[in-house]
Amino acid sequence: MKLLTGLVFFSLVLGVRGWFSFLGEAAGGALDVMKAYFHMIEANYENSGKYFHARGNYDAAQRGPGGVWVAKLISGVRESVQKLTCDGAESSTDLKAANEWGRRGKPPHHFRPEGLPEKY
């Protein structure tokens, strides 16, 4: 329901040209968040979750309002799924803070753990 409401709202506010721009930003932002997730899985590095969450949200936010919106949506869905499965509730607050940090455009390196390979 949030998705539909958001799409209708942005279509009315942005018009047709802005709508396509917003959708492009959102699609790119979704890819940025997924890329950060896959890098986190690939790295399999201890205490790196906050860094990768901040990185995905930061990269998505750099695309514009559509990127911020989709990063917030994806983070919200992830948190809802975690609540339903009772998985990782203790780290949820830390990850929320990292997500917000990245969405505000602050550099994700603040959360980068020592020794994480430069590839990431």
Side-chain angles (χ1 to χ4, degrees), residues 3 21 24 27 30 38 41 52 88 100:
L3 176 63
S21 173
F38 288 123
I41 298 299
F52 285 109
E100 281 296 320

Side-chain angles (χ1 to χ4, degrees), residues 52-73:
F52 285 109
H53 280 262
R55 164 99 265 104
N57 281 272
Y58 174 82
D59 291 343
Q62 297 307 301
R63 294 184 179 272
V68 172
W69 176 77
V70 80
K72 195 171 194 176
L73 179 71

Side-chain angles (χ1 to χ4, degrees), residues 39-100:
H39 279 172
M40 181 174 69
I41 298 299
E42 179 185 326
N44 194 27
Y45 197 81
E46 191 173 342
N47 297 322
S48 64
K50 290 187 287 187
Y51 168 72
F52 285 109
H53 280 262
R55 164 99 265 104
N57 281 272
Y58 174 82
D59 291 343
Q62 297 307 301
R63 294 184 179 272
V68 172
W69 176 77
V70 80
K72 195 171 194 176
L73 179 71
I74 291 171
S75 297
V77 168
R78 181 197 54 79
E79 290 166 12
S80 297
V81 169
Q82 277 188 330
K83 284 180 186 176
L84 288 175
T85 62
C86 299
D87 182 34
E90 67 280 348
S91 67
S92 182
T93 305
D94 291 340
L95 293 179
K96 279 183 186 180
N99 290 337
E100 281 296 320

